[in-house]
Amino acid sequence: MPGPEPIYLNGRFLAQPVSGVQRYGREIVRALDRRPNAADYVLLAPHDAAHFDLTSIPIRRLPGSGHVWEQTVLAHAARRGALLSLAGSGPVLHPRQTVVIHDAAVFRHPEHFRPGYALVHRLLGRTLARRATLATVSHFSRAELSAVLETPADAIAIAPNGADHFVRLTPDLGAAARLGLDRRPFFVALGNLAPNKNIPAMIRALTRIADPDVRLVLVGGQDAKVFSRLHADDPRIIFAGRLDDAAVAGLLRQARALIFPSLYEGFGIPPLEAFAQACPVLASNIPAVHEVCGPAALYFAPHDDAALAALMMASLDLPADPQWRAIARQRVAAYSWDASAAVLDALVRTSR
C-alpha cells in the first residue's frame, strides 16, 4: 500500500526578492528541515526559484511562476496532500491548506500599494480566511486580521519570526570599511524602499544633525532612481543596496544604532537582528514593534523627525548601557524559528 501523501510546502517565495516575508519562508523551511519528521515534507517551487539547500526535504521544481503558477500548477501538484503556504498567499481552491498571512497592511494602508495589488490581496485574504487555516506572526497581526477578515482571533495561530539566524552567523566586520565608514559614526536602516518603511523621516532627522561625519546607511533592495529623489544629494547617506547577512551583521555590530521608523508592521525582524548583534534600536512606537522589542528599544513617534534626531544625537554621545544588553538578549531568546516551525508543523498536520 502506498504511504500517506506528503505535506507540501509552497515555495513561491523562493522566486521573489528576499525581504521580511521571504526571510520568514526560508527560515521556517530550514527549521522544518531540522525536525525529526522532515521527511514528511516536499517543497514545491517555481522553475525560476533561487538555489536553496536542504538536508532532508526534497525540492521539486514545477513549470511556471507567479500568481498563475500558485493558483494552478501548485494547486494541482499538491491537491492530494496538505499544503503549508508561508508567504501570505496560496491557491484558493486547495482544500487542506494552512496559510501564514503576515499583516493586514493591504486593508489598513492600501495607499502603500499599487491599487491592483491591494485589491487582489484583499480578495485573496478574504477568500483564504473562509477556506484555509490561518496563522500569523504576532498578537497585533492576529487582532488586525481578525478584524478585517471577520474571523475569530482564536482561530488564527501565532508563529512569530525569529532571530536565531543572526545569532549563529559570523559577522563580516570588513563591511563598514568597504562602505567608507572607517572611524565614522553611523546608523543603519534595513528594508526595502517602501512607503511603510518611512525613509523620509530618517532623512529629515539626519538634516537636523550638524555633524558632517555621521552617516546613515540604507541597506536593502531599493530603486536607486527613487532613492536619489529622496536623499537630496546629502553625502552623509550611503545607499548600500542588498548585502548578505554576514555584512549586515558586521554593520550592526559597529553601528551606533539601527533606525526602524516604520509606519506599519506586522512584526519587524530588523530590530531582533540588531539585538542579536548588540546593536541599539531606535524604533517607531507602533504596536507590533512594541510587542517585539519591549523595553529593549528607544521609541519615537514615526512622523516626529525631531524626536528621532534627538535619539540619534544621544546615541552618538553615549555608549549602550551594559544592562540593556541583557534585555536585548532576552528579546532575541523569546523568538525562535524552531519554535514557530513546531507550531506550524502541528497546525498543518491537523488538516492532513
Side-chain angles (χ1 to χ4, degrees):
M1 295 289 293
E5 192 80 6
I7 299 172
Y8 294 104
L9 296 167
N10 179 351
R12 182 184 168 205
F13 64 86
L14 288 173
Q16 299 169 332
V18 179
S19 60
V21 169
Q22 293 75 28
R23 164 74 70 184
Y24 184 93
R26 286 166 174 262
E27 296 300 336
I28 289 293
V29 170
R30 288 187 177 113
L32 291 171
D33 193 50
R34 294 190 289 268
R35 292 182 62 79
N37 56 17
D40 292 346
Y41 287 88
V42 172
L43 176 64
L44 302 178
H47 75 94
D48 56 349
H51 178 74
F52 193 57
D53 283 326
L54 296 170
T55 301
S56 301
I57 297 176
I59 300 174
R60 186 186 306 167
R61 291 177 182 263
L62 304 172
S65 62
H67 273 298
V68 173
W69 176 88
E70 188 172 61
Q71 299 300 324
T72 58
V73 177
L74 173 67
H76 180 77
R79 66 192 183 281
R80 293 192 179 92
L83 176 65
L84 177 56
S85 295
L86 298 165
S89 66
V92 295
L93 296 180
H94 196 284
R96 289 179 288 157
Q97 181 177 195
T98 298
V99 182
V100 181
I101 301 179
H102 293 247
D103 57 52
V106 295
F107 296 91
R108 297 303 198 195
H109 290 282
E111 73 278 7
H112 290 171
F113 303 90
R114 297 186 306 275
Y117 178 95
L119 175 62
V120 167
H121 280 267
R122 286 197 297 270
L123 292 172
L124 185 61
R126 292 189 178 105
T127 303
L128 291 172
R130 295 194 301 269
R131 298 186 58 86
T133 300
L134 298 186
T136 191
V137 294
S138 66
H139 291 276
F140 170 73
S141 276
R142 179 165 71 177
E144 289 278 271
L145 291 170
S146 173
V148 300
L149 299 176
E150 300 179 348
T151 299
D154 59 8
I156 304 173
I158 299 177
N161 292 271
D164 28 324
H165 61 286
F166 255 57
V167 175
R168 295 189 296 264
L169 59 77
T170 300
D172 175 4
L173 297 178
R178 292 194 296 272
L179 292 172
L181 296 167
D182 279 345
R183 294 179 294 280
R184 292 184 186 274
F186 65 92
F187 297 89
V188 173
L190 304 177
N192 294 329
L193 186 60
N196 71 297
K197 299 303 181 184
N198 199 20
I199 303 295
M202 285 189 293
I203 295 170
R204 293 194 304 270
L206 184 64
T207 64
R208 294 175 176 270
I209 299 174
D211 187 341
D213 288 328
V214 68
R215 296 291 185 268
L216 173 61
V217 183
L218 301 183
V219 179
Q222 300 160 354
D223 185 328
K225 293 180 180 178
V226 174
F227 173 80
S228 66
R229 292 198 297 269
L230 284 174
H231 71 60
D233 296 323
D234 189 330
R236 298 179 298 168
I237 300 177
I238 296 174
F239 171 51
R242 292 189 181 276
L243 300 176
D244 62 31
D245 286 351
V248 172
L251 290 175
L252 292 172
R253 183 69 66 90
Q254 300 170 78
R256 296 302 175 94
L258 170 80
I259 303 177
F260 196 67
S262 294
L263 299 171
Y264 186 91
E265 293 282 350
F267 186 92
I269 301 177
L272 285 184
E273 294 175 334
F275 293 153
Q277 295 299 324
C279 177
V281 172
L282 313 179
S284 59
N285 58 357
I286 59 175
V289 177
H290 269 286
E291 179 180 336
V292 172
C293 297
L298 296 175
Y299 296 100
F300 59 94
H303 293 294
D304 191 346
D305 52 272
L308 173 55
L311 291 176
M312 292 169 70
M313 287 186 284
S315 300
L316 292 171
D317 294 335
L318 297 174
D321 183 346
Q323 293 182 340
W324 166 83
R325 295 177 185 270
I327 298 171
R329 286 195 294 268
Q330 290 172 2
R331 301 311 298 175
V332 174
Y335 296 97
S336 159
W337 293 117
D338 287 332
S340 290
V343 169
L344 294 172
D345 179 64
L347 196 64
V348 74
R349 287 176 187 279
T350 64
S351 63
R352 197 177 183 193

